[in-house]
Amino acid sequence: MTTAGVRATARIGARDDGRGGTSLPVLEGEGPLALRRTRASDNEARVMLVGAMSGPLGGDHFTVEAEVAQGARLHVGSAAATIALPGQAKGEARYDVRLSVAEGGELRWLPEQLISAGGSDLYVSSRIELQRGARLVFREEQVLGRAGEEPGRLTSRLTVRLDGRPLLDQELACGPGAPGGWDGPAVLGGHRALGQLVVVSPEFARNPVQARLLGESAALTPLAGPAALVSALAPDALRLRRVLDEALSDLD
């Protein structure tokens, strides 16, 4: 590691293997981003993202890319939570997620939480490109600070496009230096765990989901397309996961 920070990219490519399963012709990780193929389920390929070192730290730039071709099914998880730390290098760290799913492909993106530790400064950018007929389950969970700790600065942007048209484009900044009011009743209301679940399915074009509350601090919202968004707040990561798991069970 240098004062400029670490640059690392992980790439996953999933293809229909022609035998009722999914092959992974591309499975490459660099430095702290290690990838491991795990036991497949039916015709779905499963990959685990394993952090080989701490981070991202200040000045680091990590990128994870996944491409799912027509007819392929890919499930991506992570072995543990990602913890943004201040590190010795000054400046913002970046974590970019770039996902694409072709017609008839399916991607389930279900990593563990991202924890914003005190003193850290991280910008997360998730950009998802879907072709018509693609299926997606995308979960994002963020925890502001470890136990008894004030959070770092965390800015997160999520963009989802279907056939080149936007389904969702939103950004949220939290922690020191974020725009005023981020912790107030109009945004987080004092909660320290926030998450969202995006589900895209061709079936929603025929049977759109109905907007409704999912408890005190969560809501299900239909998007302008065959898609649904669940947004949730919770006092801790465990309760956040419980809300999102229940919502996914209903939508799957």
Side-chain angles (χ1 to χ4, degrees):
M1 176 176 175
T2 68
T3 56
V6 174
R7 303 292 186 269
T9 300
R11 297 181 178 88
I12 308 169
R15 300 288 184 271
D16 183 345
D17 66 5
R19 303 187 302 274
T22 298
S23 64
L24 297 173
V26 179
L27 194 64
E28 303 170 350
E30 298 176 344
L33 299 176
L35 298 172
R36 300 288 184 267
R37 180 165 189 167
T38 60
R39 185 181 297 275
S41 174
D42 297 326
N43 63 338
E44 176 186 77
R46 291 184 171 236
V47 173
M48 191 71 68
L49 181 61
V50 181
M53 58 185 285
S54 298
L57 309 177
D60 290 352
H61 189 169
F62 295 172
T63 303
V64 180
E65 303 172 353
E67 179 184 355
V68 181
Q70 185 172 10
R73 296 181 62 201
L74 175 64
H75 182 294
V76 179
S78 60
T82 298
I83 305 178
L85 297 166
Q88 296 181 347
K90 301 297 182 181
E92 178 185 77
R94 286 190 61 99
Y95 200 121
D96 294 332
V97 176
R98 301 290 180 256
L99 310 176
S100 65
V101 187
E103 178 181 1
E106 179 177 336
L107 172 61
R108 299 177 71 86
W109 185 266
L110 298 168
E112 295 303 308
Q113 299 91 353
L114 169 64
I115 300 172
S116 174
S120 64
D121 185 359
L122 178 64
Y123 185 90
V124 180
S125 171
S126 301
R127 190 172 67 220
I128 306 169
E129 297 285 345
L130 306 172
Q131 292 182 10
R132 186 173 301 279
R135 297 176 182 273
L136 172 73
V137 173
F138 176 90
R139 185 181 68 206
E140 184 176 61
E141 298 170 306
Q142 296 161 351
V143 180
L144 304 180
R146 294 168 289 191
E149 176 185 65
E150 288 299 310
R153 169 72 181 267
L154 175 63
T155 304
S156 176
R157 182 171 183 179
L158 171 60
T159 305
V160 185
R161 296 170 63 88
L162 176 64
D163 269 357
R165 295 185 176 183
L167 281 178
L168 179 67
D169 191 344
Q170 65 181 28
E171 183 172 289
L172 177 65
C174 305
W182 66 270
D183 200 24
V187 187
L188 298 188
H191 292 89
R192 283 295 179 265
L194 58 150
Q196 50 196 353
L197 182 70
V198 180
V199 180
V200 180
S201 172
E203 284 75 18
F204 290 163
R206 299 185 295 273
N207 299 297
V209 301
Q210 301 299 311
R212 65 181 187 272
L213 294 176
L214 304 173
E216 183 178 348
S217 301
L220 170 63
T221 306
L223 300 177
L229 169 68
V230 176
S231 302
L233 300 173
D236 56 57
L238 181 62
R239 277 176 276 190
L240 176 66
R241 175 64 61 84
R242 186 179 301 127
V243 170
L244 294 180
D245 280 352
E246 290 175 356
L248 181 56
S249 179
D250 288 341
L251 291 170
D252 250 357

